Amino acid sequence: MKRNIFLLFLSLLLLAACHEAPQGSDVYITPKGKRLTITPIKHASIEMNYDGLEFEIDPVSSNVEPIVEYVDKPKADYILVTHWHNDHFEKHAILVLTDGAKTNILLDIKSWNRYYNRGTPISNGQKAELEKHVTVYAVPAYNVTPKYRAIHPKGLGNGYIIDFNGYRVYIAGDTEFIPEMYHIKNIDIAFLPCNVPYTMNLKQLRKAVDVIRPKIVYPYNWGPHTDPKDIEKALRGVHSKVVMRYFR
Protein backbone atom coordinates (compact mmCIF):
# COMPACT_ATOMS: atom_id res chain seq x y z
CA MET A 1 0.00 0.00 0.00
CA LYS A 2 2.78 2.42 0.95
CA ARG A 3 4.60 1.55 -2.27
CA ASN A 4 1.48 2.34 -4.33
CA ILE A 5 1.10 5.70 -2.57
CA PHE A 6 4.76 6.47 -3.24
CA LEU A 7 4.41 5.60 -6.93
CA LEU A 8 1.29 7.74 -7.21
CA PHE A 9 3.12 10.66 -5.56
CA LEU A 10 6.08 10.18 -7.90
CA SER A 11 3.84 10.13 -10.98
CA LEU A 12 2.16 13.37 -9.88
CA LEU A 13 5.57 15.00 -9.46
CA LEU A 14 6.59 13.90 -12.95
CA LEU A 15 3.33 15.18 -14.41
CA ALA A 16 3.85 18.55 -12.73
CA ALA A 17 7.40 18.66 -14.05
CA CYS A 18 6.10 18.31 -17.60
CA HIS A 19 4.26 21.60 -17.12
CA GLU A 20 6.58 23.51 -14.80
CA ALA A 21 10.18 22.68 -15.77
CA PRO A 22 12.35 23.47 -18.79
CA GLN A 23 12.75 20.52 -21.08
CA GLY A 24 15.96 21.19 -22.95
CA SER A 25 16.32 21.81 -26.66
CA ASP A 26 14.35 20.69 -29.71
CA VAL A 27 16.20 19.89 -32.93
CA TYR A 28 14.67 20.22 -36.38
CA ILE A 29 16.21 19.42 -39.76
CA THR A 30 15.15 21.73 -42.58
CA PRO A 31 14.37 20.45 -46.10
CA LYS A 32 17.81 21.77 -47.12
CA GLY A 33 19.40 19.49 -44.53
CA LYS A 34 20.35 22.24 -42.07
CA ARG A 35 19.99 21.84 -38.31
CA LEU A 36 17.80 24.25 -36.34
CA THR A 37 18.06 23.91 -32.57
CA ILE A 38 15.46 25.70 -30.45
CA THR A 39 16.03 26.18 -26.74
CA PRO A 40 13.23 27.74 -24.67
CA ILE A 41 14.72 30.00 -22.01
CA LYS A 42 11.71 31.51 -20.19
CA HIS A 43 8.63 33.66 -20.77
CA ALA A 44 9.37 35.25 -24.19
CA SER A 45 13.10 34.49 -24.35
CA ILE A 46 14.17 31.94 -26.95
CA GLU A 47 17.56 30.74 -28.15
CA MET A 48 17.96 29.37 -31.68
CA ASN A 49 20.95 28.01 -33.52
CA TYR A 50 20.69 27.61 -37.26
CA ASP A 51 23.61 26.01 -39.08
CA GLY A 52 26.04 27.50 -36.57
CA LEU A 53 24.41 30.94 -36.38
CA GLU A 54 23.35 31.88 -32.86
CA PHE A 55 20.07 33.79 -32.44
CA GLU A 56 18.70 35.18 -29.19
CA ILE A 57 15.10 36.40 -29.14
CA ASP A 58 14.03 38.88 -26.45
CA PRO A 59 16.82 37.96 -24.02
CA VAL A 60 16.03 38.99 -20.44
CA SER A 61 18.17 38.25 -17.40
CA SER A 62 16.61 39.52 -14.17
CA ASN A 63 13.47 41.38 -15.24
CA VAL A 64 11.59 38.07 -15.29
CA GLU A 65 12.10 35.17 -12.91
CA PRO A 66 13.96 32.87 -12.88
CA ILE A 67 17.15 34.91 -13.29
CA VAL A 68 19.18 33.85 -16.32
CA GLU A 69 22.65 35.39 -16.48
CA TYR A 70 23.42 34.14 -20.02
CA VAL A 71 27.12 33.74 -19.11
CA ASP A 72 26.88 30.06 -20.06
CA LYS A 73 25.40 30.90 -23.46
CA PRO A 74 27.46 31.44 -26.62
CA LYS A 75 27.76 34.97 -27.89
CA ALA A 76 24.98 35.83 -30.31
CA ASP A 77 25.38 36.43 -34.00
CA TYR A 78 21.92 38.01 -34.01
CA ILE A 79 19.72 39.42 -31.25
CA LEU A 80 16.09 40.22 -32.06
CA VAL A 81 13.97 42.37 -29.76
CA THR A 82 10.22 42.49 -30.40
CA HIS A 83 9.38 45.52 -28.23
CA TRP A 84 10.40 47.76 -25.37
CA HIS A 85 8.66 46.23 -22.34
CA ASN A 86 10.99 44.98 -19.61
CA ASP A 87 9.95 41.34 -19.98
CA HIS A 88 11.20 41.46 -23.60
CA PHE A 89 13.99 44.01 -23.55
CA GLU A 90 16.89 44.19 -21.11
CA LYS A 91 20.18 46.00 -21.70
CA HIS A 92 22.20 43.74 -19.39
CA ALA A 93 21.24 40.54 -21.20
CA ILE A 94 21.98 42.12 -24.57
CA LEU A 95 25.39 43.29 -23.37
CA VAL A 96 26.30 39.85 -22.02
CA LEU A 97 25.38 38.21 -25.34
CA THR A 98 27.08 40.81 -27.53
CA ASP A 99 30.50 40.12 -29.03
CA GLY A 100 31.49 43.51 -30.42
CA ALA A 101 30.83 44.06 -34.11
CA LYS A 102 30.19 40.32 -34.60
CA THR A 103 26.76 40.62 -32.99
CA ASN A 104 23.96 42.20 -35.00
CA ILE A 105 21.01 43.56 -33.04
CA LEU A 106 17.59 44.19 -34.58
CA LEU A 107 15.11 46.14 -32.47
CA ASP A 108 11.77 47.87 -32.73
CA ILE A 109 12.15 51.64 -32.81
CA LYS A 110 11.29 52.25 -29.13
CA SER A 111 13.76 49.62 -27.93
CA TRP A 112 16.37 51.10 -30.26
CA ASN A 113 15.84 54.47 -28.59
CA ARG A 114 16.10 52.88 -25.13
CA TYR A 115 19.35 51.18 -26.20
CA TYR A 116 20.95 54.51 -27.05
CA ASN A 117 20.46 54.05 -30.81
CA ARG A 118 22.67 50.98 -30.90
CA GLY A 119 21.90 48.15 -33.26
CA THR A 120 19.50 48.47 -36.19
CA PRO A 121 15.87 49.60 -35.90
CA ILE A 122 13.35 47.59 -37.90
CA SER A 123 9.64 48.29 -38.23
CA ASN A 124 6.50 46.55 -39.44
CA GLY A 125 6.77 45.74 -43.13
CA GLN A 126 10.56 45.91 -43.28
CA LYS A 127 12.99 43.05 -43.75
CA ALA A 128 16.65 42.34 -43.11
CA GLU A 129 18.71 40.06 -45.32
CA LEU A 130 21.18 38.14 -43.18
CA GLU A 131 23.88 35.61 -44.01
CA LYS A 132 23.36 31.99 -45.10
CA HIS A 133 20.13 32.88 -46.95
CA VAL A 134 18.38 33.99 -43.74
CA THR A 135 15.80 36.78 -43.95
CA VAL A 136 14.01 38.45 -41.05
CA TYR A 137 10.61 40.04 -41.70
CA ALA A 138 9.11 42.41 -39.13
CA VAL A 139 5.33 41.97 -38.92
CA PRO A 140 2.67 43.72 -36.82
CA ALA A 141 2.07 42.87 -33.16
CA TYR A 142 -0.48 44.86 -31.17
CA ASN A 143 -3.59 44.88 -29.00
CA VAL A 144 -7.07 45.18 -30.46
CA THR A 145 -9.05 45.18 -27.20
CA PRO A 146 -9.84 48.89 -26.64
CA LYS A 147 -8.69 49.13 -23.01
CA TYR A 148 -5.33 47.50 -23.83
CA ARG A 149 -4.52 49.30 -27.08
CA ALA A 150 -2.24 51.74 -25.30
CA ILE A 151 -0.17 48.88 -23.89
CA HIS A 152 0.80 47.51 -27.29
CA PRO A 153 -0.12 50.20 -29.85
CA LYS A 154 -0.45 49.30 -33.49
CA GLY A 155 2.64 50.03 -35.57
CA LEU A 156 5.29 50.02 -32.84
CA GLY A 157 6.00 46.48 -31.63
CA ASN A 158 7.15 43.70 -33.93
CA GLY A 159 6.53 40.07 -34.52
CA TYR A 160 9.22 38.37 -36.58
CA ILE A 161 9.18 35.79 -39.33
CA ILE A 162 12.65 34.32 -39.67
CA ASP A 163 13.07 32.59 -43.02
CA PHE A 164 15.90 30.07 -42.75
CA ASN A 165 16.39 29.45 -46.47
CA GLY A 166 12.76 28.46 -46.89
CA TYR A 167 12.11 27.09 -43.38
CA ARG A 168 9.96 29.71 -41.69
CA VAL A 169 9.67 30.45 -37.96
CA TYR A 170 7.11 32.98 -36.73
CA ILE A 171 7.68 34.68 -33.37
CA ALA A 172 4.51 36.63 -32.69
CA GLY A 173 5.71 38.88 -29.85
CA ASP A 174 3.13 40.60 -27.67
CA THR A 175 -0.03 40.59 -29.73
CA GLU A 176 -3.65 39.62 -29.70
CA PHE A 177 -5.21 37.91 -32.70
CA ILE A 178 -5.00 40.55 -35.42
CA PRO A 179 -6.27 40.69 -39.04
CA GLU A 180 -2.71 40.61 -40.39
CA MET A 181 -2.45 37.00 -39.23
CA TYR A 182 -4.64 35.99 -42.17
CA HIS A 183 -1.69 36.90 -44.40
CA ILE A 184 0.94 34.93 -42.47
CA LYS A 185 1.43 31.78 -44.53
CA ASN A 186 3.71 28.78 -44.90
CA ILE A 187 4.92 28.76 -41.32
CA ASP A 188 6.83 25.73 -40.13
CA ILE A 189 7.10 26.73 -36.46
CA ALA A 190 5.06 29.40 -34.68
CA PHE A 191 5.55 30.88 -31.22
CA LEU A 192 2.21 32.33 -30.15
CA PRO A 193 1.65 34.21 -26.87
CA CYS A 194 -0.98 33.50 -24.26
CA ASN A 195 -0.49 36.13 -21.58
CA VAL A 196 -3.94 37.26 -20.48
CA PRO A 197 -4.94 40.08 -20.57
CA TYR A 198 -2.03 41.61 -22.48
CA THR A 199 -1.83 39.18 -25.40
CA MET A 200 -4.07 36.42 -26.69
CA ASN A 201 -6.63 34.67 -24.56
CA LEU A 202 -7.29 30.98 -25.13
CA LYS A 203 -9.99 31.61 -27.72
CA GLN A 204 -7.75 33.97 -29.70
CA LEU A 205 -4.84 31.52 -29.45
CA ARG A 206 -6.97 28.75 -30.93
CA LYS A 207 -8.13 31.04 -33.73
CA ALA A 208 -4.55 32.09 -34.51
CA VAL A 209 -3.45 28.46 -34.80
CA ASP A 210 -6.45 27.62 -37.00
CA VAL A 211 -5.79 30.63 -39.26
CA ILE A 212 -1.99 30.45 -39.55
CA ARG A 213 -1.88 26.63 -39.55
CA PRO A 214 1.78 26.23 -38.65
CA LYS A 215 3.19 22.73 -38.80
CA ILE A 216 4.38 23.11 -35.21
CA VAL A 217 3.16 25.56 -32.57
CA TYR A 218 4.79 26.55 -29.30
CA PRO A 219 2.41 28.40 -26.99
CA TYR A 220 4.73 30.82 -25.20
CA ASN A 221 4.89 34.01 -23.14
CA TRP A 222 2.44 32.69 -20.57
CA GLY A 223 1.14 35.00 -17.90
CA PRO A 224 0.53 34.23 -14.22
CA HIS A 225 -3.16 33.74 -14.97
CA THR A 226 -2.53 31.14 -17.67
CA ASP A 227 -2.61 27.45 -16.80
CA PRO A 228 -0.68 25.36 -19.36
CA LYS A 229 -3.25 22.61 -18.96
CA ASP A 230 -5.89 25.06 -20.21
CA ILE A 231 -3.67 25.87 -23.22
CA GLU A 232 -3.39 22.20 -24.09
CA LYS A 233 -7.15 21.80 -23.75
CA ALA A 234 -7.85 24.85 -25.94
CA LEU A 235 -5.61 23.49 -28.71
CA ARG A 236 -7.00 19.97 -28.83
CA GLY A 237 -7.82 18.95 -32.38
CA VAL A 238 -5.77 21.61 -34.19
CA HIS A 239 -3.93 20.53 -37.33
CA SER A 240 -0.60 21.71 -35.91
CA LYS A 241 1.68 19.72 -33.64
CA VAL A 242 1.53 21.42 -30.24
CA VAL A 243 4.81 21.52 -28.29
CA MET A 244 4.47 22.52 -24.66
CA ARG A 245 7.55 23.92 -22.96
CA TYR A 246 8.09 26.09 -19.89
CA PHE A 247 7.38 29.72 -20.84
CA ARG A 248 5.96 31.13 -17.61
Side-chain angles (χ1 to χ4, degrees):
M1 180 68 178
K2 290 182 179 179
R3 183 175 181 273
N4 290 339
I5 293 174
F6 172 77
L7 291 174
L8 176 61
F9 178 71
L10 181 61
S11 66
L12 290 173
L13 284 178
L14 291 173
L15 180 61
C18 290
H19 293 286
E20 298 298 339
Q23 295 177 306
S25 303
D26 299 318
V27 178
Y28 302 96
I29 304 300
T30 74
K32 299 288 197 306
K34 304 298 183 181
R35 180 184 294 265
L36 174 64
T37 302
I38 294 177
T39 305
I41 304 298
K42 60 177 178 178
H43 193 58
S45 302
I46 309 163
E47 177 187 358
M48 297 185 187
N49 188 288
Y50 169 73
D51 195 29
L53 292 178
E54 186 73 12
F55 289 77
E56 292 285 351
I57 316 300
D58 285 347
V60 169
S61 177
S62 59
N63 289 345
V64 177
E65 293 185 350
I67 294 173
V68 177
E69 290 294 350
Y70 285 97
V71 293
D72 60 335
K73 298 292 184 185
K75 298 295 186 181
D77 294 288
Y78 296 96
I79 297 174
L80 275 61
V81 177
T82 60
H83 71 287
W84 61 95
H85 287 155
N86 289 336
D87 57 336
H88 293 255
F89 169 80
E90 187 187 86
K91 298 171 187 176
H92 171 75
I94 293 175
L95 286 170
V96 171
L97 290 165
T98 297
D99 186 13
K102 170 183 178 287
T103 301
N104 297 276
I105 307 170
L106 299 176
L107 315 91
D108 65 283
I109 189 66
K110 287 191 69 172
S111 297
W112 182 70
N113 287 329
R114 287 187 66 191
Y115 201 53
Y116 316 118
N117 299 348
R118 299 176 186 173
T120 303
I122 185 170
S123 299
N124 297 176
Q126 295 182 328
K127 67 178 182 178
E129 301 280 357
L130 312 184
E131 56 191 297
K132 294 189 177 181
H133 304 288
V134 179
T135 304
V136 173
Y137 299 89
V139 297
Y142 60 93
N143 283 116
V144 294
T145 301
K147 63 180 177 179
Y148 300 122
R149 286 176 184 168
I151 297 175
H152 301 109
K154 185 175 182 179
L156 290 180
N158 293 327
Y160 293 113
I161 297 173
I162 310 175
D163 190 312
F164 296 107
N165 199 12
Y167 194 84
R168 290 160 55 86
V169 177
Y170 172 42
I171 300 157
D174 269 11
T175 187
E176 292 185 78
F177 180 83
I178 53 178
E180 289 87 346
M181 288 181 178
Y182 285 103
H183 304 292
I184 295 177
K185 306 290 185 183
N186 303 317
I187 299 298
D188 292 283
I189 300 174
F191 288 85
L192 300 177
C194 192
N195 184 2
V196 178
Y198 306 112
T199 68
M200 289 191 276
N201 58 34
L202 294 171
K203 185 176 180 180
Q204 288 179 317
L205 176 66
R206 173 65 186 241
K207 185 172 183 179
V209 175
D210 286 338
V211 167
I212 298 169
R213 297 176 70 91
K215 293 177 183 176
I216 298 165
V217 60
Y218 285 76
Y220 90 130
N221 195 359
W222 308 342
H225 305 296
T226 305
D227 188 331
K229 294 179 183 178
D230 292 336
I231 296 175
E232 291 180 285
K233 183 177 180 181
L235 295 182
R236 285 176 188 167
V238 296
H239 288 85
S240 308
K241 177 183 177 182
V242 179
V243 180
M244 295 297 299
R245 294 291 184 261
Y246 178 79
F247 277 112
R248 178 66 67 186

